[in-house]
């Protein structure tokens, strides 16, 4: 039943009820949500509820984000087939799997080791695509693979992500939740060496943590 009819139906309903009506229209993004088995990235006891319109705890005070939250950010990121993507906060690995269907290479950093181990197991069983993960503080980026065409941060930052912006390629896009009391999803775009930023939504993410876990 790993990918049986119940799960396929649950994915179709997730797209039809949670994503399309809220403006997720990018065909490649929708196809990724139809393909990636979200249930493989959460507690197996959830079954088809894994596709519900909410986040779920994944342990260590962290959560797998609501499908719409991921879809909104990923659509705004405008990942291209040839993109090299850096993700900060692997968490369950679900968004990593979505990104891997859209991009050429995905690099993902998580600071909580047991989460990273679990995510790697789920990714190995449930996805295709080129994925490289590492344990560490993602706010420092991943210098040896920089620059990246796309960077997506899945935990909220208190200020402008300077170190990550240094690792963003020309023509690149970076999305991060920023702010303490009022949090916004901010899209940074780099064109001709100039970086512009735009708040694209209000949001609520778990805080990014610095240093060792
Ligand atoms: N997209 C993921 C979101 C997980 S929640 C999902 O849907 O499963 C955010 C994750 O960011 C958590 O797993 C948390 O441990 C991780 N995180 C927090 N601060 C971090 C940091 N400085 N570097 C890397 N990962 C971090």
């Amino acid at each position: 039943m790993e990918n049986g009819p119940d799960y396929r139906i649950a994915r179709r309903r997730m797209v039809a009820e949670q994503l399309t009506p809220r403006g997720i229209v990018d065909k490649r993004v929708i196809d990724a949500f139809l393909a990636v088995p979200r249930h493989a990235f959460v507690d197996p006891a959830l079954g088809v509820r894994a596709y519900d319109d909410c986040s779920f705890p994944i342990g260590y005070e962290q959560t797998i984000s609501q499908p719409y939250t991921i879809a909104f950010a990923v659509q705004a990121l405008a990942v291209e087939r040839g993109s090299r993507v850096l993700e900060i906060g692997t968490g369950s690995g679900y968004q990593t799997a979505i990104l891997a269907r859209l991009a050429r290479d995905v690099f993902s950093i998580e600071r909580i080791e047991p989460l990273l181990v679990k995510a790697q197991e789920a990714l190995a069983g449930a996805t295709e695509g080129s994925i490289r993960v590492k344990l560490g503080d993602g706010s420092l980026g991943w210098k040896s693979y920089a620059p990246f065409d796309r960077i997506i941060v899945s935990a909220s930052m208190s200020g402008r992500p300077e170190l990550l912006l240094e690792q963003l390629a020309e023509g690149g896009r970076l999305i991060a939740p920023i702010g303490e009391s009022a949090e916004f999803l901010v899209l940074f775009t780099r064109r001709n060496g100039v970086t512009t930023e735009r708040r694209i939504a209000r949001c609520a993410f778990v805080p990014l943590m610095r240093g060792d876990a």
Side-chain angles (χ1 to χ4, degrees):
M1 286 298 289
E2 182 56 23
N3 244 322
D6 290 355
Y7 287 122
R8 278 209 301 274
I9 289 167
R11 281 198 288 279
R12 264 191 239 132
R13 285 189 56 177
M14 169 182 73
V15 167
E17 293 172 8
Q18 303 169 33
L19 305 188
T20 318
R22 293 173 180 153
I24 307 302
V25 291
D26 184 320
K27 169 101 173 47
R28 295 184 68 228
V29 173
I30 286 175
D31 285 347
F33 277 82
L34 287 174
V36 175
R38 182 167 165 93
H39 61 276
F41 295 88
V42 296
D43 182 346
L46 285 174
V48 291
R49 286 198 294 133
Y51 296 91
D52 285 358
D53 192 11
C54 58
S55 58
F56 287 105
I58 53 172
Y60 308 90
E61 297 174 7
Q62 305 304 321
T63 55
I64 175 173
S65 308
Q66 181 190 17
Y68 172 67
T69 303
I70 296 176
F72 179 82
V74 168
Q75 177 169 271
L77 198 62
V79 178
E80 292 170 1
R81 267 181 233 283
S83 298
R84 297 171 76 254
V85 182
L86 175 67
E87 175 188 51
I88 314 301
T90 318
S92 65
Y94 176 66
Q95 178 177 279
T96 323
I98 296 277
L99 292 168
R101 292 195 71 92
L102 299 170
R104 184 177 77 193
D105 296 297
V106 179
F107 302 85
S108 186
I109 309 175
E110 169 59 54
R111 68 184 285 281
I112 299 179
E113 189 165 20
L115 282 181
L116 188 62
V117 169
K118 252 183 128 178
Q120 271 181 294
E121 282 167 12
L123 286 166
T127 51
E128 51 214 71
S130 159
I131 300 171
R132 222 176 272 254
V133 299
K134 95 165 175 180
L135 185 68
D137 180 356
S139 60
L140 309 174
W142 197 337
K143 238 182 176 163
S144 49
Y145 289 108
F148 302 96
D149 305 301
R150 302 288 185 267
I151 300 180
I152 182 163
V153 185
S154 295
S156 68
M157 311 188 80
S158 51
R160 200 178 146 93
E162 299 297 351
L163 291 172
L164 297 178
L165 286 168
E166 281 172 19
Q167 297 182 20
L168 187 66
E170 169 58 33
R173 290 178 161 233
L174 180 156
I175 283 195
I178 300 178
E180 270 154 10
S181 50
E183 219 178 304
F184 290 93
L185 207 54
V186 181
L187 171 66
F188 296 84
T189 312
R190 174 158 309 155
R191 285 242 163 270
N192 305 322
V194 180
T195 304
T196 49
E197 62 179 273
R198 191 160 58 90
R199 290 173 167 185
I200 56 171
R202 280 192 174 274
C203 61
F205 281 79
V206 294
L208 186 92
M209 291 166 293
R210 313 297 281 266
D212 294 332

